[in-house]
Amino acid sequence: MPLVSGNILPISYQFELASAFNRLIMSNMQAYEKWLFDNGLQPIDNIRQKVYSLSNLYVPKVYVVGDRLYINVPRIQFWVSFLPEVETREFLTQQLLDKQFSIGDSKSAVAFKIIAIDDISPVIFTEIMEYQSISPIVVKALRQNNSLDYLSPDNQFFSQFMIEELIDRWESFYKRSYDGDRTFQFTLLMQPRRKAVSIFTDTPHFQKVVGYMLKFRLQMSPVLQEFAYICGLGDDIGYGFGYVELLKKKK
């Protein structure tokens, strides 16, 4: 994906990237609704819970000054995992290939053009998988005074809330109760890195979302492993959070 204009992004861009991507796949509403219908879905299903998860941008050479990212390469990448399987490759090619989009805020923005869509290797899902987050994992809870709390991975309820939310999304997507094994074991493989991200920038709805970059081992049903890998983990998936990839081993 080459840069068309600009090379300076705000350090918080996940929400803008997710919004731009969603506009692209909905740009031809007739094709979008047909794709959802062919997969047994309605547009409301993708509004209530995104049927895909989106990674951060992968920028091989970048440096940070204040709240800005300076991109020092002509091309970058990002990854998307889709749950619907019927004609998805064809649909994405039609909606995305050779399309331009811009992300940023009132201070700086970058325009990109999508020039290639590559498939990734299929994954065999087992009861024990190791992941790394490619965008921050957000887990929210309500305090006793009804204010919002963002849980850190060392909180005893972090993994419980994360898996409960995953099962809720599974049930919402498949429109039936999940009757499989609900037991799980969550093990951190690195010290979590906290990341605060601004969303709804330059609007009255501006807020900070706190997530964590993690490497972790997850033991649970392969059915839920697949759903987590494709649809992400944690809250605010539709805002560009919670994308995970298989943990790459050092040789």
Side-chain angles (χ1 to χ4, degrees), residues 10-16 19 67-68 104-108 197-208:
I11 199 168
S12 294
Y13 63 80
Q14 282 95 332
F15 174 71
E16 286 74 16
S19 299
D67 64 348
R68 302 290 113 176
D105 58 16
S106 58
K107 293 181 182 179
S108 62
V197 178
S198 301
I199 64 173
F200 299 111
T201 306
D202 300 329
T203 76
H205 304 291
F206 170 82
Q207 58 181 287
K208 286 277 190 182

Side-chain angles (χ1 to χ4, degrees), residues 69-235:
L69 295 174
Y70 288 74
I71 301 174
N72 281 341
V73 289
R75 297 184 181 186
I76 63 173
Q77 297 172 285
F78 65 92
W79 291 267
V80 188
S81 294
F82 273 86
L83 193 61
E85 297 179 349
V86 177
E87 301 293 337
T88 296
R89 183 68 163 79
E90 294 77 6
F91 168 73
L92 292 179
T93 299
Q94 175 184 331
Q95 300 293 86
L96 302 179
L97 196 59
D98 295 325
K99 301 295 178 59
Q100 293 188 21
F101 67 95
S102 178
I103 58 174
D105 58 16
S106 58
K107 293 181 182 179
S108 62
V110 181
F112 303 94
K113 182 178 182 179
I114 299 174
I115 62 168
I117 301 173
D118 298 323
D119 296 326
I120 60 175
S121 301
V123 174
I124 298 174
F125 296 96
T126 61
E127 289 188 357
I128 300 177
M129 308 283 289
E130 292 186 349
Y131 299 102
Q132 56 186 348
S133 60
I134 307 298
S135 57
I137 295 177
V138 176
V139 176
K140 298 187 291 189
L142 283 178
R143 300 187 180 96
Q144 289 185 345
N145 62 1
N146 287 328
S147 62
L148 195 61
D149 188 19
Y150 293 97
L151 302 185
S152 65
D154 56 6
N155 186 292
Q156 61 177 325
F157 296 111
F158 178 91
S159 59
Q160 176 187 336
F161 288 4
M162 182 177 70
I163 301 305
E164 287 177 354
E165 193 277 340
L166 179 72
I167 293 175
D168 285 345
R169 282 191 288 129
W170 189 98
E171 292 179 334
S172 176
F173 179 82
Y174 289 106
K175 298 180 176 61
R176 59 185 173 89
S177 296
Y178 175 74
D179 56 5
D181 186 3
R182 292 173 177 256
T183 60
F184 71 92
Q185 185 173 337
F186 173 80
T187 306
L188 284 172
L189 301 177
M190 63 167 280
Q191 183 66 29
R193 181 162 58 89
R194 183 181 185 273
K195 190 171 184 180
V197 178
S198 301
I199 64 173
F200 299 111
T201 306
D202 300 329
T203 76
H205 304 291
F206 170 82
Q207 58 181 287
K208 286 277 190 182
V209 175
V210 177
Y212 291 83
M213 303 300 289
L214 310 172
K215 292 180 182 179
F216 58 98
R217 181 181 300 115
L218 195 54
Q219 181 173 345
M220 63 181 181
S221 162
V223 171
L224 294 179
Q225 297 277 18
E226 181 178 14
F227 196 80
Y229 179 77
I230 295 175
C231 291
L233 283 167
D235 295 298

Side-chain angles (χ1 to χ4, degrees), residues 22-37 42-44 46-47 91 94-95:
N22 202 44
R23 286 193 298 270
L24 282 177
I25 66 170
M26 296 175 64
S27 58
N28 183 334
M29 186 57 67
Q30 184 177 358
Y32 169 73
E33 291 180 346
K34 180 182 183 303
W35 169 70
L36 288 176
F37 179 81
Q42 298 295 326
I44 189 64
N46 198 31
I47 293 173
F91 168 73
Q94 175 184 331
Q95 300 293 86

